Amino acid sequence: LESHVLLAACLRSNQRDQEALPLIEKVLEANPCFAEAFANRALIRLRAIDISGAIKDAEMATSLKPHLNQIWTLLGTLYSQTNNLVGAIEALQQARKIEPMNVTVLLSLGEFLRQDNKTMAALSVLEEAMEINPNSAEVCSNLGNTLHELGRSDEAEVNYKQAITLKPNLPEAHHNLCLLYTSPSPR
């Protein structure tokens, strides 16, 4: 079964989903508790834009193996695509427990918290991400957004400019710096 899942993952990675899916179905028929099979099927369903099916599979994978950080991260992304910010935040908090130093998880969690109007919690998470990786333009830019929303324009400006220094072609940082100069809050 493991070799079938591995082959299916390779096929999926090469965008050969129609070949991967029957292998995954065969594995799940033989072992309906194979988390990695559910995880792979979730990714196939995501690519097929079957978000609800992808969510079900990712939820099943995390219930079977709650230590699979990548699936919690995927689940957070899927929930956000259905405008379920509470679910997205909860999934990313689980991912954060597993890998507390994962800047990608912290960046997404901070953004979802900010979108859910939990600005102070977002600030805390993004400051943590900044401590881990001060050279991330994305973290600087998102931290700038959060600071701007809190009315801390001078600090926001510093972070936007730092993001532009680190990654001159990051359009969000340029856009948000412009908004800082022309409007009371970023979009």
Side-chain angles (χ1 to χ4, degrees):
L1 294 179
E2 289 84 7
S3 62
H4 278 60
V5 171
L6 182 58
L7 176 57
C10 291
L11 290 167
R12 179 190 51 75
S13 293
N14 286 294
Q15 299 186 7
R16 295 170 58 184
D17 296 345
Q18 296 305 317
E19 295 171 71
L21 200 52
L23 290 170
I24 293 169
E25 299 298 344
K26 190 175 183 178
V27 168
L28 290 173
E29 189 176 302
N31 180 357
C33 295
F34 207 118
E36 291 82 355
F38 282 107
N40 275 286
R41 191 169 70 180
L43 292 167
I44 290 171
R45 287 181 167 177
L46 173 60
R47 190 168 19 236
I49 312 173
D50 175 7
I51 304 301
S52 63
I55 287 173
K56 286 179 186 176
D57 282 342
E59 288 173 339
M60 182 60 78
T62 57
S63 73
L64 294 168
K65 288 195 176 175
H67 63 278
L68 294 177
N69 187 55
Q70 298 89 342
I71 302 305
W72 284 111
T73 304
L74 171 64
L75 195 52
T77 301
L78 292 167
Y79 283 144
S80 75
Q81 289 181 9
T82 61
N83 295 316
N84 178 355
L85 284 176
V86 171
I89 290 166
E90 288 173 2
L92 289 173
Q93 286 172 333
Q94 289 298 320
R96 181 183 185 190
K97 287 178 187 175
I98 298 165
E99 290 185 30
M101 303 294 282
N102 186 323
V103 173
T104 303
V105 169
L106 294 172
L107 184 62
S108 295
L109 177 58
E111 179 58 20
F112 294 149
L113 286 165
R114 188 183 68 78
Q115 288 176 19
D116 199 33
N117 297 315
K118 295 180 171 86
T119 315
M120 291 306 295
L123 179 64
S124 176
V125 169
L126 291 169
E127 286 175 337
E128 190 177 325
M130 181 67 85
E131 286 179 26
I132 296 167
N133 186 359
N135 295 318
S136 169
E138 292 78 7
V139 172
C140 291
S141 183
N142 283 15
L143 185 56
N145 290 343
T146 304
L147 291 163
H148 189 185
E149 284 186 13
L150 290 169
R152 294 164 60 177
S153 298
D154 291 344
E155 293 171 83
E157 180 180 10
V158 167
N159 278 277
Y160 291 144
K161 287 181 176 179
Q162 179 65 18
I164 292 167
T165 298
L166 292 167
K167 193 172 186 178
N169 62 344
L170 185 65
E172 297 86 6
H174 289 279
H175 176 76
N176 290 326
L177 184 60
C178 180
L179 288 176
L180 178 73
Y181 293 145
T182 60
S183 69
S185 65
R187 290 184 201 162

